Amino acid sequence: MTQAPARPKAVRRQHDREIVALAVPAFGALVAEPLFVMADSAIIGHLGTAQLAGLGVASALLMTAVSVFVFLAYATTAAVARRVGAGDLQAAIRQGMDGIWLALLLGLTVVAVVLPTAPFLVELFGASDTAAPYATTYLRISALGIPAMLVVLAATGVLRGLQDTRTPLYVAVAGFIANAALNAGLVYGAGLGIAGSAWGTVIAQCGMAAIYLMVVVRGAREHGASLRPDAVGIRASAQAGVPLLVRTLSLRAILMIATAVAARLGDADIAAHQIILSLWSLLAFALDAIAIAGQAIIGRYLGAGDAEGARAACRRMVEWGVAAGVVLGLLVVMSRPLFLPLFTSDSVVKDAALPALLVVALSQPICGVVFVLDGVLMGAGDGPYLAWAMVLTLAVFTPVSLLVLVVGGGLTAIWAAMTLMMTVRMLTLWLRSRSGRWIVTGATR
């Protein structure tokens, strides 16, 4: 007697449970990350304006250096999830170890570059004469934690691929608490100033990396996976990450161009732009949590050879993305009177930000689809297409955003261009998802 196929409602409920189980902890872990910088800023801010300015420059450089390598998490999640779906946990953890070894090698390389060039990088970023020494000190010390930061990225990808987003949440929360305590103790208790803040962050990041490694090593021993570096596996991880690196660099270029255009509109517009960008980033964390769930779920389905399951999961996650976008958009509209006074009392800045915030609110359903489909294609290992699509998006966005300086429209026009950028991304990702070419089943793509 054959088993009756699962009813559509039952399948949707199953997908909903999986999405919630993975996305909610992932959101918590994502939100915990920027809290590191916020804690540092709150503590250093009481030392003086020059120290806080130095922290701002150094943190921007540090976060740029680390965010470029976010593919370590994305590519590892997809590769590990495929092997989990195929039922080969030993190969899944071995794949994860390759990603961790690659992270360590990249981290050591970045440290070797940043340490001698820190003063030049700080000057290039436009730090003032009074802030530059503090920025250089913070950057040089905190750079020592970059290998740990990249190991955390790769190990997070391993656990996500193993369908575990709770452990990263616990580690992120513990890391934030440790970072805040260490910063306060070293900055004020030990009297180390901004250097104490940097050392506190390094120690917290190393502690997080150590916990992740303990978890992964324990899993490797349970399933008989080798912990030794494998040149072939590390090279394969690097090759899988190159298209995602291109995608990330293209996206960061878009954000930099938008900021550069806003800066040329005047102080009020750039101030309003920074406020809106901070909100946009926070909204992105919520949507990215669903995308992370998509990476893990899609990779597992494809690894198990269940193409129809992957399609159904994709459809359901798109519905989640649209719904989340609508809710977030409504929250932005309703919270505008409360949100802006938190950042500024300048009526000119508020006037510049209000219409742009409406554009951001209206674009959230589009953003929801983009983030979800981005996660689906990452989970499928469709990196080359993602790279091509983002380069195309950059090519469309650049001339349109520069036209704002000629045609006018102010900050609202810039965020209209950002919405156009997300629309182009949505179209390219939707066309790919409709084609079915991303569906390649098996333990490897």
Side-chain angles (χ1 to χ4, degrees), residues 63-397:
M63 289 301 101
T64 298
V66 173
S67 64
V68 163
F69 298 107
V70 72
F71 69 83
L72 289 166
Y74 295 158
T76 304
T77 297
V80 170
R82 274 186 176 269
R83 285 160 176 78
V84 169
D88 192 346
L89 287 177
Q90 182 186 69
I93 296 175
R94 176 62 259 181
Q95 178 73 44
M97 285 305 305
D98 291 336
I100 290 173
W101 279 112
L102 174 62
L104 185 59
L105 291 173
L106 290 172
L108 293 173
T109 302
V110 174
V111 171
V113 172
V114 170
L115 287 181
T117 61
F120 168 76
L121 293 173
V122 167
E123 182 181 356
L124 186 66
F125 227 69
S128 67
D129 291 339
T130 54
Y134 297 110
T136 301
T137 297
Y138 189 91
L139 182 59
R140 275 185 167 153
I141 296 173
S142 60
L144 298 175
I146 288 177
M149 294 180 190
L150 299 192
V151 166
V152 166
L153 282 177
T156 300
V158 176
L159 295 181
R160 289 173 180 169
L162 293 171
Q163 317 296 296
D164 176 11
T165 56
R166 289 184 179 272
T167 300
L169 171 60
Y170 300 148
V171 175
V173 171
F176 167 70
I177 294 171
N179 178 68
L182 286 165
N183 268 259
L186 293 174
V187 171
Y188 296 114
L192 297 179
I194 196 168
S197 177
W199 281 117
T201 300
V202 169
I203 295 169
Q205 291 288 351
C206 289
M208 291 171 65
I211 294 172
Y212 274 119
L213 290 175
M214 287 172 56
V215 173
V216 175
V217 167
R218 185 176 61 197
R221 287 174 176 168
E222 287 178 1
H223 299 284
S226 174
L227 298 173
R228 295 181 179 179
D230 176 60
V232 174
I234 294 172
R235 185 164 54 249
S237 294
Q239 289 172 345
V242 168
L244 295 180
L245 175 61
V246 173
R247 167 201 168 275
T248 300
L249 289 174
S250 298
L251 179 57
R252 291 204 67 83
I254 287 171
L255 297 177
M256 289 175 64
I257 291 169
T259 301
V261 172
R264 284 161 175 77
L265 296 178
D267 290 346
D269 286 285
I270 186 59
H273 177 74
Q274 288 304 113
I275 293 171
I276 295 171
L277 189 60
S278 66
L279 174 63
W280 194 77
S281 299
L282 179 62
L283 298 172
F285 284 134
L287 298 174
D288 202 27
I290 304 174
I292 287 169
Q295 294 171 30
I297 293 170
I298 294 298
R300 192 189 74 231
Y301 273 117
L302 294 178
D306 188 354
E308 186 50 44
R311 287 191 184 92
C314 175
R315 287 193 295 269
R316 189 56 176 166
M317 280 183 284
V318 169
E319 292 171 359
W320 268 77
V322 173
V326 170
V327 171
L328 291 174
L330 291 173
L331 287 175
V332 170
V333 172
M334 291 187 295
S335 66
R336 283 186 307 157
L338 301 174
F339 175 74
L340 287 175
L342 292 176
F343 291 88
T344 182
S345 57
D346 190 329
S347 60
V348 178
V349 175
K350 290 179 182 178
D351 290 342
L354 278 172
L357 275 176
L358 281 176
V359 175
V360 170
L362 291 172
S363 71
Q364 288 310 296
I366 297 172
C367 294
V369 175
V370 169
F371 275 85
V372 166
L373 290 180
D374 208 38
V376 166
L377 297 186
M378 283 184 190
D382 204 11
Y385 182 85
L386 289 172
W388 173 87
M390 189 58 77
V391 170
L392 173 64
T393 303
L394 174 60
V396 172
F397 173 79

Side-chain angles (χ1 to χ4, degrees), residues 3-15 17 312:
Q3 186 177 2
R7 292 174 298 173
K9 286 186 179 179
V11 172
R12 286 199 298 271
R13 283 198 295 268
Q14 178 188 344
H15 289 151
R17 286 193 297 269

